[in-house]
Amino acid sequence: MTTGRTEPRDENGLPIDYVEWKTTATSKLNRLKTKLEWHQMPSLAFLPPHVKHLDGGAGGLLLFSVGSHIHYLTLYVCNPMTRQWKRLPSSMHKRTPILRHMVVDRQMRGYKIVLAGNIDFSTPGSERNYCTSTEVYDSTSDMWLKTSPLPLNVDLNWSSAYSDGLLYCVANEVGSSKLGITAYDVLQGVWCDRFYGFPDGISLAQVVESRGNIFAVAEEYKSEILKSIHVLKFNLRTGLWTEVSRLPRSLLRDFKSLCEEESFNSVVQVERIFLTSFRGNRVLVFDISSRSWSWLTPCEHFRGKDHRAVGFTFEPCLHISP
């Protein structure tokens, strides 16, 4: 660990402001009574300058990755509040895993990181061998463990959400190309053998967790044009999806004008789902309890229109170490 103050710089040697990283920011969303406000996050200038790619986080920790394809993926975990960071041991495979998810156990003050899927370049005689292995890093042992392989009937996407011991992952069903979810039992280290398809017409989806429930922000296309965005709720008992809401046409038109193709991210805080555009600081908010849509006040910490950003959830915590 270190608390150095090296300022991150880009490939041209110019300083990188935190708002230009793959994140919304220098900011976090904080619910104060019924009002949503932007607040400045602690600077991440204490991280090594090459650590820029944010994969997510949980429980007050953030997860970053460096390297891909022919190199072992190097992962870094930090706590912005304590300015502590750690470089994790190398994973077992030379690949760029499409699934990278952190789960924090606050009682144990530890965490696990699950890696799975994507292309494995380390297998002799094959440059594009799809890697079905699943690796789990456990901070309590500081070791990687290979667990059960991916089911052969699914092709993972990048979106995942954790609830009650299960990691729900968006995937395509091999053969039918139908989009849905499968689940990984983090404690047991095994994949479930069930696939739960989204309703017909859904082409892309991201999953989030709110109060133990799994929701999907699902996109419906027609002739390669985005026609609608739906919020779906997963019934854990029946394995079926029901529509909770659909983005009104006027908001959809405005939101599409801000986004590049497929370029928005969905994150959740308590009972609100936030849709953040990669192009700027306009954020759509869906309130699960009232089933209403609204625009969030633009983030004042953005200093220009050319920043590329994506939202993430951050819960400040002083009592957990990387």
Side-chain angles (χ1 to χ4, degrees), residues 69-129:
H69 302 315
I70 62 174
H71 303 289
Y72 282 103
L73 186 74
T74 304
L75 297 177
Y76 292 79
V77 176
C78 78
N79 184 332
M81 303 303 294
T82 62
R83 298 174 63 83
Q84 294 177 314
W85 64 272
K86 177 180 180 179
R87 175 178 171 172
L88 303 189
S90 296
S91 56
M92 298 176 179
H93 289 274
K94 293 180 181 179
R95 58 168 167 170
T96 308
I98 195 165
L99 174 63
R100 310 174 196 181
H101 196 103
M102 172 184 282
V103 177
V104 167
D105 186 333
R106 284 190 167 177
Q107 289 187 342
M108 297 295 293
R109 295 190 179 181
Y111 59 90
K112 292 183 178 181
I113 296 172
V114 182
L115 304 181
N118 218 342
I119 297 170
D120 180 9
F121 283 78
S122 64
T123 304
S126 175
E127 292 184 354
R128 298 186 65 82
N129 180 58

Side-chain angles (χ1 to χ4, degrees), residues 246-261:
R246 184 178 302 195
L247 183 64
R249 287 187 176 275
S250 58
L251 292 178
L252 176 65
R253 182 178 60 251
D254 294 340
F255 191 63
K256 282 172 59 178
S257 68
L258 298 173
C259 297
E260 300 171 2
E261 184 179 0

Side-chain angles (χ1 to χ4, degrees), residues 16-210:
I16 297 177
D17 189 29
Y18 183 33
V19 294
E20 294 180 284
W21 296 16
K22 192 189 174 188
T23 167
T24 42
T26 57
S27 309
K28 62 184 174 67
L29 294 166
N30 185 32
R31 188 174 183 177
L32 181 60
K33 294 182 180 179
T34 59
K35 187 177 181 181
L36 286 169
E37 296 179 331
W38 290 97
H39 294 271
Q40 191 86 8
M41 269 189 67
S43 169
L44 295 185
F46 62 88
L47 288 171
H50 61 285
V51 179
K52 306 172 186 176
H53 185 89
L54 177 66
D55 285 320
L61 298 177
L62 297 181
L63 174 65
F64 293 84
S65 62
V66 177
S68 61
H69 302 315
I70 62 174
H71 303 289
Y72 282 103
L73 186 74
T74 304
L75 297 177
Y76 292 79
V77 176
C78 78
N79 184 332
M81 303 303 294
T82 62
R83 298 174 63 83
Q84 294 177 314
W85 64 272
K86 177 180 180 179
R87 175 178 171 172
L88 303 189
S90 296
S91 56
M92 298 176 179
H93 289 274
K94 293 180 181 179
R95 58 168 167 170
T96 308
I98 195 165
L99 174 63
R100 310 174 196 181
H101 196 103
M102 172 184 282
V103 177
V104 167
D105 186 333
R106 284 190 167 177
Q107 289 187 342
M108 297 295 293
R109 295 190 179 181
Y111 59 90
K112 292 183 178 181
I113 296 172
V114 182
L115 304 181
N118 218 342
I119 297 170
D120 180 9
F121 283 78
S122 64
T123 304
S126 175
E127 292 184 354
R128 298 186 65 82
N129 180 58
Y130 187 80
C131 187
T132 61
S133 68
T134 305
E135 302 172 63
V136 178
Y137 173 81
D138 190 331
S139 67
T140 59
S141 64
D142 194 30
M143 293 178 60
W144 289 95
L145 177 68
K146 183 180 288 187
T147 63
S148 70
L150 282 168
L152 296 178
N153 66 322
V154 297
D155 185 0
L156 282 184
N157 289 14
W158 62 270
S159 181
S160 55
Y162 179 79
S163 176
D164 196 25
L166 294 178
L167 186 58
Y168 295 89
C169 308
V170 177
N172 289 91
E173 187 176 37
V174 174
S176 69
S177 295
K178 185 175 180 61
L179 192 66
I181 62 170
T182 188
Y184 176 75
D185 188 317
V186 177
L187 182 62
Q188 300 297 325
V190 295
W191 287 91
C192 303
D193 57 3
R194 296 288 303 275
F195 177 83
Y196 304 97
F198 289 117
D200 291 340
I202 299 302
S203 303
L204 296 169
Q206 301 172 44
V207 288
V208 295
E209 180 274 338
S210 173

